[in-house]
Amino acid sequence: MLPPSRVNDLAVVEVSYAEATVTLRWTALGDDFDQGGPAHYVEIRYGRDFDQLADDFHGSASVNHSQVLRGSLTSPSEPGSVQTIVILVPDRGDNVTFVFALRMCDEADNCGDPSNIVTANLEYIPLPVNDIDTVTLIVIVVCIALLVVVVILVFCRGNRTETARSTQPPSANDNPSFVPTV
């Protein structure tokens, strides 16, 4: 005879831009206010405008069974337990906001008042762009390492040549005061 109470703890749990889904959670109510068995079904409405959903719950789009990926609109949980539902949203863009509200109804189609309204933003957030990818970084490191090896080899080779020259006995051409005798 009495409708279920108003859900006042509806919350957005997760939003997935990639999968175009919104996960909602609330505490299930009884079919007579918050007493009795579980409510018979859940009616979820959504829109793109908060005021429109608040002013015209019945005129807003209704979530249908084909949009429900996990959970159920027709098998609410026992009163006091947490109910979760994953909804496939109809469209997405770079930055799309949806508003949701629900109400619980009993088997006689007595429905409670619409719940609190929640907002879900499906925003495309691109992955960070690295200025230098891994392959480029490896190539740069290898080039620098090769350059260091070449510099070390040239430096060491130059020192060996100088050392070799200094250990040879001086020749006549190295001493300008040397006068050959005949």
Side-chain angles (χ1 to χ4, degrees), residues 48-64:
R48 302 284 298 278
D49 182 75
F50 183 92
D51 291 331
Q52 181 181 1
L53 183 61
D55 294 341
D56 188 16
F57 178 81
H58 302 289
S60 299
S62 180
V63 171
N64 61 49

Side-chain angles (χ1 to χ4, degrees), residues 57-91:
F57 178 81
H58 302 289
S60 299
S62 180
V63 171
N64 61 49
H65 294 285
S66 66
Q67 289 176 274
V68 177
L69 300 180
R70 192 175 70 224
S72 175
L73 297 172
T74 57
S75 298
S77 302
E78 288 295 318
S81 61
V82 175
Q83 188 164 357
T84 303
I85 195 164
V86 178
I87 301 167
L88 180 65
V89 292
D91 61 327

Side-chain angles (χ1 to χ4, degrees), residues 16-21 48 89-96 98 122:
S16 172
Y17 177 86
E19 297 175 12
T21 60
R48 302 284 298 278
V89 292
D91 61 327
R92 62 181 179 194
D94 286 344
N95 189 4
V96 177
F98 289 97
L122 274 74

Side-chain angles (χ1 to χ4, degrees), residues 5-176:
S5 290
R6 176 180 183 268
V7 171
N8 60 10
D9 65 347
L10 179 63
V12 174
V13 177
E14 184 178 348
V15 176
S16 172
Y17 177 86
E19 297 175 12
T21 60
V22 174
T23 303
L24 301 175
R25 180 180 63 211
W26 67 94
T27 303
L29 302 171
D31 65 348
D32 293 317
F33 288 121
D34 60 353
Q35 304 296 310
H40 189 63
Y41 67 93
V42 178
E43 180 182 13
I44 302 175
R45 301 271 179 168
Y46 68 96
R48 302 284 298 278
D49 182 75
F50 183 92
D51 291 331
Q52 181 181 1
L53 183 61
D55 294 341
D56 188 16
F57 178 81
H58 302 289
S60 299
S62 180
V63 171
N64 61 49
H65 294 285
S66 66
Q67 289 176 274
V68 177
L69 300 180
R70 192 175 70 224
S72 175
L73 297 172
T74 57
S75 298
S77 302
E78 288 295 318
S81 61
V82 175
Q83 188 164 357
T84 303
I85 195 164
V86 178
I87 301 167
L88 180 65
V89 292
D91 61 327
R92 62 181 179 194
D94 286 344
N95 189 4
V96 177
T97 300
F98 289 97
V99 290
F100 294 90
L102 64 82
R103 66 183 185 159
M104 307 286 288
C105 301
D106 65 16
E107 64 279 348
D109 282 336
N110 295 319
C111 297
D113 291 332
S115 70
N116 59 301
I117 297 174
V118 294
T119 303
N121 187 25
L122 274 74
E123 181 177 1
Y124 174 71
I125 301 173
L127 294 173
V129 177
N130 294 335
D131 291 336
I132 300 176
D133 64 355
T134 305
V135 173
T136 305
L137 185 61
I138 291 170
V139 169
I140 290 171
V141 168
V142 168
C143 288
I144 291 172
L146 286 174
L147 182 62
V148 167
V149 168
V150 168
V151 168
I152 290 171
L153 288 175
V154 168
F155 181 76
C156 288
R157 190 170 193 208
N159 279 347
R160 263 191 281 151
T161 305
E162 287 297 318
T163 305
R165 285 185 188 158
S166 64
T167 58
Q168 294 176 354
S171 69
N173 294 335
D174 291 339
N175 188 351

